[in-house]
Amino acid sequence: MKIVMVGSGYVGLVSGACFADFGHEVVCVDKMESKITALKQGEIPIFEPGLADLVRSNAEAGRLSFTADLAGPVSQADAVFIAVGTPSRRGDGFADLSYVYAAAREIAHALDGYTVIVTKSTVPVGTGDEVERIIRELRPDAEFEVVSNPEFLREGAAIEDFKRPDRIVIGTEELRAQAVMADVYRPLYLNSAPILNISRRTAELTKYAANAFLATKITFINEMADLCEQVGANVQDVARGMGLDNRIGGKFLHAGPGYGGSCFPKDTLALIKTAQDYGTPSRIVETVASVNDQRKRAMAKKVVAACGGSVRGKTIAVLGLTFKPNTDDMRDAPSLAIVTALQDGGAIIRAFDPEGMEQAKAMLPSEVTYCKDAYECVEGADAAVIVTEWNIFRALDFDRIKAAMVTPILADLRNVYRAEQIRGKGFTYVDIGRGVMAPDVGIRADVA
Ligand code: UDX
């Protein structure tokens, strides 16, 4: 089939390359000429494992191409995906849909023959209706259907998630459009990924509900971690004990510094706004968003406590900046709040991240010293903090680390290590939700 992907960012590029790998003929469109030029030269503007090879092999096979011209490809397309950005609008948290609507207008003018227009971007409930109205107004003659097809891709695992999805959600009740979408996803369907044909608004809400629920699950285990620290329980074992119940499941129960990224923070806020607008406020999601914001800041307090109550004039080594491993994405990363709070407390920050430092430089205060690896980062540090659980932080040489530091203090905000392993090396070690009560005095051994 002929597919056009409008928007060659994180979602559009991954989706376009994967559709091409299914055998479809895909044209990725983007307004940014520089991005198109780079893509034509095989340069990928985002860090996503496996994407460069996937793009290159499909471009070489002639199934995947890039252009800034939208009209030409759309006039030939069976399906046109809108995969443009829907950032949170500054201030009120609503999703900014101006790029979606601009794409809809451009697509309208170029339609020729029956075409399925698919909103792939995460859009508030009812956006598909507005896209349909815009196109119908401009082209009352055109034969088209607007379908919602939300993505459930995790950064760093996007290709895997696209090719082996738990489900494919198709939001339309028009049989002809359902048939086109079944053809688009046939290779997956043959892999027995269930296709869910539901209404457009239902599909739009499903995406928000799924992300908000995952954010809730993470925030729940983070709160259990705080309780574990007080009662002397181990949150990882609590998560295991919960997760073995197949009604709960073990995923997304890893306690940490709070969720970040380009989706959970934005999507929870958009859902909160929609629910408030329709007079059915979601107090659970409102609380999740608020608790998560506070948690990121609270993590700095954990570091300050480990340093004896003050970090003024102390050098803190921050290991990991991105919101999760295997991405270069710094959007809403917990490190942003943690570094800022530590600097507010007078700390001097050294930082290392294998992929995120370029983006971080534009988002963090300029006084941060960026290092080439973990060992350079801890040189002369009074304390170190693991903020992102990159694999390269999982087997550090702590004898070498200790020798490089002024004082051997480690705050492990991702529970990468076992406490006894690090304390055995002479470190003061703080973690998340694995506090050990000192049996006789009722306070935690590591802060005694
Ligand atoms: C998420 C959804 O998983 C995906 O389905 C949706 O399409 C886009 O948003 P993503 O934001 O890329 O994907 O990353 P994800 O792996 O979900 O992690 C989001 C945040 O939650 C990260 O900051 C991560 O560190 C945190 N997290 C995740 C936890 O703190 N604990 C967990 O157990 C899982």
Side-chain angles (χ1 to χ4, degrees):
M1 296 180 75
K2 293 182 183 299
I3 292 174
V4 171
M5 193 62 66
V6 179
S8 300
Y10 169 68
V11 172
L13 195 52
V14 170
S15 304
C18 288
F19 278 138
D21 216 41
F22 290 166
H24 295 310
E25 193 180 319
V26 179
V27 180
C28 284
V29 177
D30 202 287
K31 284 188 172 312
M32 280 174 68
E33 295 267 3
S34 57
K35 185 185 287 189
I36 294 298
T37 306
L39 285 166
K40 282 178 172 174
Q41 291 162 359
E43 291 162 33
I44 308 301
I46 53 173
F47 175 84
E48 181 62 44
L51 185 58
D53 292 344
L54 195 68
V55 166
R56 197 169 301 122
S57 61
N58 282 284
E60 282 163 8
R63 288 192 297 268
L64 180 63
S65 60
F66 305 97
T67 177
D69 162 41
L70 179 144
V74 165
S75 66
Q76 306 291 320
D78 299 304
V80 179
F81 285 75
I82 299 178
V84 295
T86 55
S88 277
R89 221 161 48 191
R90 285 283 159 249
D92 66 5
F94 263 110
D96 175 356
L97 299 173
S98 57
Y99 304 112
V100 171
Y101 296 151
R105 281 190 285 275
E106 278 194 75
I107 290 165
H109 291 303
L111 289 175
D112 180 1
Y114 181 73
T115 311
V116 172
I117 293 134
V118 188
T119 52
K120 176 62 88 173
S121 303
T122 302
V123 292
V125 180
T127 303
D129 302 356
E130 180 59 11
V131 167
E132 179 175 331
R133 189 196 62 75
I134 290 171
I135 297 175
R136 184 70 67 210
E137 192 173 83
L138 291 169
R139 290 290 305 278
D141 62 307
E143 274 194 293
F144 70 95
E145 191 55 50
V146 177
V147 173
S148 165
N149 173 219
E151 49 82 18
F152 299 96
L153 309 179
R154 290 166 299 157
E155 292 194 32
I159 294 169
E160 173 70 14
D161 286 349
F162 194 100
K163 292 196 164 184
R164 271 170 282 287
D166 291 334
R167 73 307 201 183
I168 300 154
V169 171
I170 304 295
T172 181
E173 293 171 302
E174 295 295 325
L175 297 180
R176 190 176 179 187
Q178 287 178 5
V180 169
M181 294 306 285
D183 284 342
V184 167
Y185 281 102
R186 186 160 306 289
L188 282 183
Y189 192 54
L190 299 178
N191 284 354
S192 78
I195 288 191
L196 210 56
N197 283 312
I198 51 183
S199 81
R200 189 164 59 201
R201 284 178 165 241
T202 306
E204 290 167 339
L205 182 54
T206 298
K207 166 68 180 181
Y208 281 102
N211 267 8
F213 187 81
L214 290 168
T216 302
K217 202 174 176 186
I218 292 165
T219 306
F220 179 83
I221 202 65
N222 283 340
E223 287 201 319
M224 288 302 105
D226 290 347
L227 181 54
C228 283
E229 292 177 3
Q230 299 311 315
V231 302
N234 180 315
V235 71
Q236 289 174 312
D237 294 338
V238 168
R240 203 169 292 127
M242 289 170 63
L244 287 170
D245 181 328
N246 62 27
R247 293 169 302 173
I248 298 173
K251 292 182 179 175
F252 282 61
L253 283 178
H254 301 294
Y259 60 77
S262 60
C263 296
F264 286 174
K266 169 175 74 76
D267 293 353
T268 46
L269 213 49
L271 181 59
I272 287 165
K273 294 289 179 188
T274 300
Q276 283 170 350
D277 264 10
Y278 281 86
T280 54
S282 170
R283 287 179 287 279
I284 291 175
V285 184
E286 288 169 2
T287 305
V288 164
S290 163
V291 166
N292 189 65
D293 281 348
Q294 289 159 29
R295 180 172 190 80
K296 293 181 191 178
R297 287 193 293 273
M299 288 296 110
K301 290 190 192 124
K302 192 181 267 285
V303 179
V304 171
C307 292
S310 168
V311 291
R312 190 156 300 285
K314 292 186 177 176
T315 298
I316 309 293
V318 176
L319 299 178
L321 292 170
T322 51
F323 82 97
K324 62 183 281 195
N326 301 319
T327 182
D328 60 355
D329 200 338
M330 283 294 298
R331 285 174 286 186
D332 275 308
S335 63
L336 298 172
I338 293 168
V339 165
T340 306
L342 289 173
Q343 286 185 317
D344 289 348
I348 299 145
I349 302 294
R350 296 168 66 83
F352 168 67
D353 186 287
E355 292 295 342
M357 291 193 286
E358 276 321 301
Q359 285 200 30
K361 283 169 186 169
M363 300 167 87
L364 278 173
S366 54
E367 308 84 72
V368 174
T369 302
Y370 293 95
C371 304
K372 70 176 183 344
D373 61 29
Y375 298 104
E376 183 184 84
C377 190
V378 299
E379 276 171 19
D382 298 282
V385 194
I386 297 177
V387 179
T388 313
E389 67 281 25
W390 281 96
N391 282 339
I392 54 168
F393 299 147
R394 291 185 180 277
L396 294 170
D397 174 348
F398 280 94
D399 295 326
R400 186 175 166 194
I401 296 262
K402 188 176 178 185
M405 294 179 75
V406 171
T407 43
I409 297 172
L410 175 64
D412 182 358
L413 304 185
R414 296 289 186 167
N415 289 340
V416 172
Y417 291 97
R418 285 180 296 105
E420 57 278 8
Q421 173 191 5
I422 306 303
R423 289 184 186 130
K425 294 272 183 190
F427 277 77
T428 296
Y429 175 81
V430 296
D431 54 20
I432 300 282
R434 301 183 302 183
V436 177
M437 299 288 281
D440 52 343
V441 295
I443 57 169
R444 289 188 51 195
D446 65 329
V447 292

